[in-house]
Amino acid sequence: MMYYLGLISEYLKNYMKSRLTYRADFWVEVISDLLFQATNLIFILVIFMHTDSLGGWSENEVVFVYGFFMVPYGLFSCFVNLWNFSERYIVKGELDRVMTRPAYNLFQIFLENVDPPALVGSVIGLIIMGISGAQMDLAMEWWFVPALIVLSLSAVAIYTGIYTILTSLSFFSDAPTGIIPLMYNIQGYGRYPVTIYNRAIQVVLTWILPFAFVGVYPASLFLHREDMRHMALLTPVMGIVFLSLGLLAWNWGIRRYRGAGS
């Protein structure tokens, strides 16, 4: 454990040294990410200019859900970046280099693509939750912080599991990357109340591509939505299940890998 914690520290130090050499690029990335998140928030506010509720959810509740959605998404974007895996590691052969090192190969790939500016999104999400919660007079209870940590990490595990499964297709197909951009669009459905969708989409977002567990379900626990309480408490279980599936898919694929020339 200490060995891997040391690796995290070293990779983060190297990242800061390299990125802060070009500080303008660093801040441009931060600002562009904030603008993207602001656009999504403005979209929600525009919707509520034309309605008082969305699927039985008030404006402040939907904004709170969006704030929670940003917290695990920022963590995921920082530590689990598999966007260009096929091109960089399969086509260019960099996976051969990774395979010669003692640390677990998937962990190394995560660290080589770490993106700390994405954590700004998590901070903004916490601020949004605080503001919208105050407007709803949500009382700060003792279990809020530990629940936030557990549910956020569980949501990150769900993200990681799903995208690791998709990335593992690179070991079996020449062009799997077209699926990942589509998945990034689908995951956005998790930042809205699942009740606004038809039954088929609700089933998909809950059990097949469980992005409802990265936003609306865990957020409902803090909003005291009793109708979704049991689903919120199921979030850690879904995290364990999908992370396990992702690791199984990855290990299966990595055993099939025979090198860049194969």
Side-chain angles (χ1 to χ4, degrees):
M1 179 61 70
M2 295 305 298
Y3 171 70
Y4 282 98
L5 290 176
L7 284 179
I8 294 174
S9 175
E10 291 301 319
Y11 270 96
L12 289 176
K13 289 178 183 177
N14 290 334
Y15 173 89
M16 297 307 296
K17 290 177 182 177
S18 61
R19 291 304 301 268
L20 291 180
T21 303
Y22 306 95
R23 298 182 182 181
D25 292 342
F26 177 85
W27 290 111
V28 165
E29 183 178 349
V30 171
I31 293 172
S32 62
D33 184 63
L34 290 178
L35 290 175
F36 175 74
Q37 301 297 346
T39 301
N40 291 327
L41 180 58
I42 290 172
F43 176 74
I44 294 174
L45 298 178
V46 169
I47 290 177
F48 279 96
M49 292 175 62
H50 303 281
T51 183
D52 294 328
S53 66
L54 190 64
W57 295 66
S58 68
E59 179 179 0
N60 284 324
E61 287 178 322
V62 175
V63 172
F64 186 94
V65 170
Y66 180 67
F68 179 89
F69 173 87
M70 290 179 64
V71 175
Y73 181 67
L75 293 170
F76 165 75
S77 299
C78 173
F79 295 105
V80 186
N81 187 349
L82 295 170
W83 183 267
N84 65 341
F85 171 80
S86 181
E87 178 181 357
R88 177 179 175 182
Y89 290 94
I90 301 295
V91 177
K92 295 183 179 180
E94 290 196 30
L95 187 58
D96 292 357
R97 167 182 54 81
V98 173
M99 296 289 288
T100 62
R101 296 177 176 177
Y104 182 49
N105 43 72
L106 182 59
F107 186 76
Q108 292 183 65
I109 292 170
F110 287 162
L111 291 182
E112 288 185 356
N113 294 278
V114 70
D115 185 23
L119 292 176
V120 175
S122 296
V123 175
I124 299 300
L126 291 172
I127 294 173
I128 291 175
M129 290 174 65
I131 294 174
S132 57
Q135 292 178 345
M136 292 182 290
D137 295 324
L138 281 180
M140 183 69 178
E141 301 187 39
W142 66 269
W143 54 268
F144 271 27
V145 173
L148 178 63
I149 294 173
V150 171
L151 294 176
S152 295
L153 293 179
S154 298
V156 172
I158 292 171
Y159 275 126
T160 303
I162 292 174
Y163 283 100
T164 301
I165 292 171
L166 295 178
T167 302
S168 300
L169 296 178
S170 300
F171 298 114
F172 304 95
S173 173
D174 293 331
T177 54
I179 302 176
I180 293 182
L182 173 62
M183 201 58 56
Y184 268 86
N185 292 328
I186 294 176
Q187 76 182 22
Y189 287 85
R191 62 176 176 251
Y192 302 110
V194 72
T195 53
I196 70 175
Y197 308 120
N198 64 44
R199 185 59 181 171
I201 295 178
Q202 290 184 36
V203 171
V204 171
L205 293 177
T206 300
W207 306 115
I208 301 175
L209 300 172
F211 289 121
F213 286 97
V214 305
V216 61
Y217 285 151
S220 66
L221 185 66
F222 303 98
L223 295 171
H224 304 292
R225 302 276 305 201
E226 294 299 328
D227 55 327
M228 292 186 176
R229 180 180 178 84
H230 63 291
M231 300 303 289
L233 297 176
L234 192 60
T235 303
V237 177
M238 297 296 289
I240 293 172
V241 169
F242 275 83
L243 181 59
S244 299
L245 291 174
L247 293 176
L248 286 172
W250 176 267
N251 291 334
W252 182 29
I254 206 74
R255 285 196 296 269
R256 186 180 183 276
Y257 181 72
R258 294 294 180 268
S262 60

